[in-house]
Amino acid sequence: MEVHVKYGPRTCTAIVEEGLTGAAFQEHLQELTGVFARHQKLIFRGKVVDVNKTLSSQGITSGAKLMLLASAQGSAGRIGSDALTKGQQAAKTQSQQKAAEAQARLSQVFASAKGRAPPPRTAALSAAATEGGGAGGWHVLGNLAQRRQNWARTGMVALRDLQLVDLPQDVFEGLHQLQQKQEPALQPLVPSQPREQQHEQRTQEPLLPPVQQQQQQQQQQQQEGEPMQQPEQQHQEAEAPLVCSGRSSSANIRLVDCSHNLLQSLPISVAALTRLVTLRLSHNRLSTAGFPWELLADACGGSLAVLELDHNELTGLPGQHLSCFTALTRLTAAGNQISHIPEEVGGLRSLQELNLDRNNLHGLPSSLGNCSSLQELSAAENHITYIPEALAACSLLQALRLSKNMISQVPPELLSHSCSSLWMLDLAANPITADQLRSTHNYAIFDERRRAKANKQLEGGVLLDSSRAFKEGADSREWEHWRAVQK
């Protein structure tokens, strides 16, 4: 039978059996609306639907109309946040507009502090900028040649918060040549002599005119049997370019910060950044197709340690090239549209922090258990329904944040001694309740580990953020009160 349920401004149609109980019907509505069953209250003809009775016994037949009321906690979740009244939606829109205006004013203040005009939204690097000016809003960025010299000197590319739409394909090429020109010539090593002896030698040597010095040098070469150098040869050696030995052909760039722009893709010249360590690309418009995963993997897969991709338009991570980033320790991709994490993520043996908050994930790959260095995993505000048991193999995992998901149970292996470092488990706003978590096998082992960590922090007075340790309705003050009562 079809039952129509009104929730906020929208109406959901559920097809269920007549003999279904009220509790089972609430579980079905949980999948449709995102409101947990324990936060639901169904109204039919002015009466609350009894969860222990069947729908037919309460007069609910095909075509019936019910009203769903959600508690404050149940309607605060990300999934059920679209069930707002017109007034609430207007207030939310107004709040977002004020936040955008405040961000624009902050950008203007930041631009004025740097002595330049506010960046236009269509400003982009162009080939004409290499001439020192150019059109298309290049006055925002200044001279590209000067910037490239600064990049080569400092090893850092700073293009943050400039509203850039794109970058020239060759923007990162040739930086090693600028670096070589800026470095001084290497002097040959000579045996060290005492300062007094060097001073006596300089004072004893008479000052000769340049012509006599050259003749004296030629006479010494003839006595030692060395070939004489012609003046033309000496002149050519003097004008030879300075080349520093021990340098590779790639630029010595360690950090690239292009965050807070409007970039949709990256130039192919990122392949020249073979020593890149940190790449910050948060708050852009990068898509999965426009991100050069293969180029980065071939160029700096063995050196890249930090990759920030928060708040872009990514729909997935590459399965073929992801495991090539063997030195990656921090990967953040929150605020995207990622719906699947490939199994190749298990090849990131050096990964310590993984942030996948606010995406469209429905599960986590079991290969995460192979990330032996993983210490912090955050995948809050997704649609995750289960926690893989293989995650218990991460013996260094300390914090697991999975709030605002659809998790109804926790594998006992995760709470056992196998995952010996886990002390912070965030399961707020999930179908699982605190009582269900406490009744899980091996919870006593996890609770003892959590209490020991919390006691150590409280005794040292360093528990500044209680939410990092307590997620079952207790904060630091209540915990201190409990400890005082126990004593």
Side-chain angles (χ1 to χ4, degrees), residues 303-361:
S303 63
L304 188 63
V306 178
L307 180 57
E308 300 178 359
L309 299 172
D310 305 315
H311 301 285
N312 279 280
E313 299 178 3
L314 301 175
T315 57
L317 297 178
Q320 183 178 1
H321 307 289
L322 188 60
S323 59
C324 298
F325 297 93
T326 56
L328 195 63
T329 60
R330 184 170 184 264
L331 174 60
T332 62
N336 283 276
Q337 303 172 12
I338 301 175
S339 58
H340 174 70
I341 301 298
E343 292 290 338
E344 286 77 3
V345 71
L348 302 177
R349 302 301 174 86
S350 302
L351 188 63
Q352 300 179 6
E353 179 183 353
L354 178 60
N355 191 330
L356 299 170
D357 294 345
R358 296 180 296 280
N359 279 284
N360 295 326
L361 297 175

Side-chain angles (χ1 to χ4, degrees), residues 119-125 136-138 140-141 162-166 261-262:
R121 297 188 62 84
T122 58
L125 290 169
W138 179 245
V140 176
L141 299 177
L162 295 175
Q163 300 295 318
L164 301 176
V165 177
D166 56 13
N261 285 291
L262 303 174

Side-chain angles (χ1 to χ4, degrees), residues 4 239 315 325 486:
H4 306 285
E239 293 183 354
T315 57
F325 297 93
Q486 294 296 323

Side-chain angles (χ1 to χ4, degrees), residues 193-481:
Q193 298 179 354
R195 292 186 178 181
E196 297 179 356
Q197 184 177 356
Q198 293 180 1
H199 178 70
E200 294 177 357
Q201 184 178 1
R202 287 195 301 268
T203 54
Q204 292 176 1
E205 294 178 354
L207 296 178
L208 301 176
V211 178
Q212 296 183 6
Q213 291 181 4
Q214 184 177 358
Q215 293 176 356
Q216 184 178 3
Q217 183 179 2
Q218 292 177 358
Q219 292 177 1
Q220 293 178 358
Q221 290 179 358
Q222 290 178 359
Q223 294 176 1
E224 296 176 0
E226 297 180 359
M228 296 179 58
Q229 294 182 353
Q230 301 297 328
E232 297 180 357
Q233 183 179 359
Q234 296 178 359
H235 181 70
Q236 291 177 0
E237 292 182 357
E239 293 183 354
L242 299 177
V243 178
C244 297
S245 60
R247 293 287 182 179
S248 63
S249 60
S250 61
N252 192 24
I253 299 298
R254 297 292 191 270
L255 182 146
V256 173
D257 188 356
C258 295
S259 58
H260 294 269
N261 285 291
L262 303 174
L263 300 177
Q264 299 180 3
S265 62
L266 294 180
I268 59 176
S269 58
V270 295
L273 306 176
T274 57
R275 300 183 181 181
L276 190 62
V277 177
T278 302
L279 180 57
R280 297 173 180 170
L281 298 171
S282 302
H283 295 274
N284 277 285
R285 297 179 180 178
L286 296 173
S287 61
T288 303
F291 195 87
W293 290 104
E294 184 176 1
L295 291 177
L296 279 178
D298 295 338
C300 55
S303 63
L304 188 63
V306 178
L307 180 57
E308 300 178 359
L309 299 172
D310 305 315
H311 301 285
N312 279 280
E313 299 178 3
L314 301 175
T315 57
L317 297 178
Q320 183 178 1
H321 307 289
L322 188 60
S323 59
C324 298
F325 297 93
T326 56
L328 195 63
T329 60
R330 184 170 184 264
L331 174 60
T332 62
N336 283 276
Q337 303 172 12
I338 301 175
S339 58
H340 174 70
I341 301 298
E343 292 290 338
E344 286 77 3
V345 71
L348 302 177
R349 302 301 174 86
S350 302
L351 188 63
Q352 300 179 6
E353 179 183 353
L354 178 60
N355 191 330
L356 299 170
D357 294 345
R358 296 180 296 280
N359 279 284
N360 295 326
L361 297 175
H362 290 267
L364 296 173
S366 58
S367 61
L368 281 173
N370 298 328
C371 298
S372 55
S373 302
L374 189 62
Q375 299 180 10
E376 183 175 346
L377 173 59
S378 182
E381 299 186 40
N382 281 279
H383 308 276
I384 299 174
T385 57
Y386 65 93
I387 303 176
E389 296 180 1
L391 197 61
C394 298
S395 59
L396 300 180
L397 184 63
Q398 300 180 13
L400 181 59
R401 297 182 175 86
L402 297 173
S403 61
K404 295 185 179 180
N405 278 284
M406 303 298 292
I407 299 172
S408 57
Q409 61 181 355
V410 176
E413 294 79 5
L414 190 66
L415 306 177
S416 64
H417 293 293
S418 300
C419 197
S420 57
S421 300
L422 182 65
W423 64 273
M424 205 288 291
L425 181 61
D426 185 357
L427 293 173
N430 274 278
I432 187 173
T433 62
D435 293 336
Q436 292 174 345
L437 178 61
R438 295 189 186 101
S439 62
T440 303
H441 183 60
N442 293 329
Y443 177 79
I445 300 175
F446 165 74
D447 190 48
E448 181 181 359
R449 188 164 58 240
R450 185 190 67 155
R451 290 170 185 265
K453 183 71 173 181
N455 287 335
K456 183 177 180 180
Q457 291 183 342
L458 288 171
E459 291 173 357
V462 295
L463 188 61
L464 302 180
D465 185 7
S466 61
S467 63
R468 292 179 59 88
F470 305 100
K471 281 298 180 183
E472 298 180 9
D475 57 15
S476 58
R477 294 183 179 179
E478 294 178 0
W479 183 254
E480 289 176 347
H481 175 72

